[in-house]
Amino acid sequence: MKISHLLALLTSIVTAGSAVFAQSVPPAVRTVSDTVITIDGKSEMKLYYQFTKGDRIIYHFEETNGKTLKEVEISENADITRFLEYDSKELDKVLDVSRKVIFHFRFRNTTGGKRTCHLQIGRVPSSAATTDFVTAVEPWMLGDTTNHAKNNALLLQKTRKKILLMSPTNYVLSSTSNSVLKGWKSKIAVPIELPLHTVEWYYRFSVGSANDSTFSGTSFTGGETCDIYLIDKQNLTSFETDPAFPFYESGIQVDAHEGLVKMEPFQKHQLLIGLINPNNIKGITVRLEVVAFVEESAGTQ
């Protein structure tokens, strides 16, 4: 079953004169989930998504092999059942949302065999202001689903924004031989402080010769390379003096000329990006830029 099934349902609703949407053009269905799930024998599965006031939920369920599933239930906060059907092979449902709340989608299989199901959940926002409402549910949101007042206070709309942690900056590193003979630096540790609520961050780098002026756009045109490691601040001395310094496994670049590297959030917010020139003869210039993406919550009660 394709997503067009949801669109057909929505079109029929609006054509019939929905009281929720007084507009001539049907609003777009926002896909919340379009996935295949497997429910093991004699078990049940629950999925959780949050919706906000004025939303319309477009729901399609289908057992892909034409078998029945004992129970299919949709409820608010686990204690208000909005829909329950037994022995289902395929069904469609449209639900209106009167408040901001977590919906529980429950599937129960009482047979000994597995059930494979295609699930589609679409969301029609009531206005442009809630178009980008985040439907994902974090584990902490499920701590007290029976306390509606408390739960609704926790259901916060998140906004994502980009923060520039370091504008493009050039770092010149000597050759490893000159670091030994002349005391010049073939390693540089660049401090980075991740903002609170960082969900992902990136660093972009490009490597040229020590006196390179051929930088264009985001890249040097030469073929020089560097090594990059992410380290803790307390390991700075070890990084500078010990070839076997401790480092994180994430984000390692070895003998690399350029790249855009995606990093996951860390428990520690103060980190160092360690730049190393592996060339024994030539110095290099490393151009480095760092950005972070944070998600911030704001109550919409």
Side-chain angles (χ1 to χ4, degrees), residues 234-282:
Q234 60 264 33
N235 293 321
L236 174 59
T237 301
S238 179
F239 168 75
E240 293 175 333
T241 60
D242 186 355
F245 60 88
F247 57 87
Y248 290 104
E249 295 293 334
S250 300
I252 296 174
Q253 300 292 308
V254 178
D255 199 27
H257 171 61
E258 64 179 359
L260 176 63
V261 183
K262 178 181 179 180
M263 303 293 293
E264 300 300 325
F266 280 74
Q267 290 184 343
K268 295 185 177 181
H269 293 274
Q270 294 182 330
L271 302 166
L272 299 171
I273 297 178
L275 309 177
I276 302 176
N277 180 9
N279 196 307
N280 191 49
I281 301 174
K282 297 175 62 177

Side-chain angles (χ1 to χ4, degrees), residues 160-223:
R160 176 174 291 209
K161 66 178 181 179
K162 175 181 175 182
I163 297 178
L164 180 64
L165 302 184
M166 176 187 294
S167 58
T169 304
N170 289 351
Y171 295 92
V172 179
L173 284 72
S174 75
S175 64
T176 54
S177 60
N178 278 335
S179 70
V180 175
L181 297 174
K182 300 181 180 180
W184 297 351
K185 288 190 174 182
S186 62
K187 297 180 177 181
I188 293 179
V190 181
I192 297 295
E193 184 165 354
L194 299 178
L196 289 175
H197 313 302
T198 296
V199 293
E200 62 185 19
W201 59 287
Y202 296 79
Y203 70 83
R204 185 197 300 274
F205 73 98
S206 183
V207 186
S209 63
N211 299 310
D212 205 330
S213 60
T214 59
F215 189 85
S216 175
T218 60
S219 302
F220 285 106
T221 58

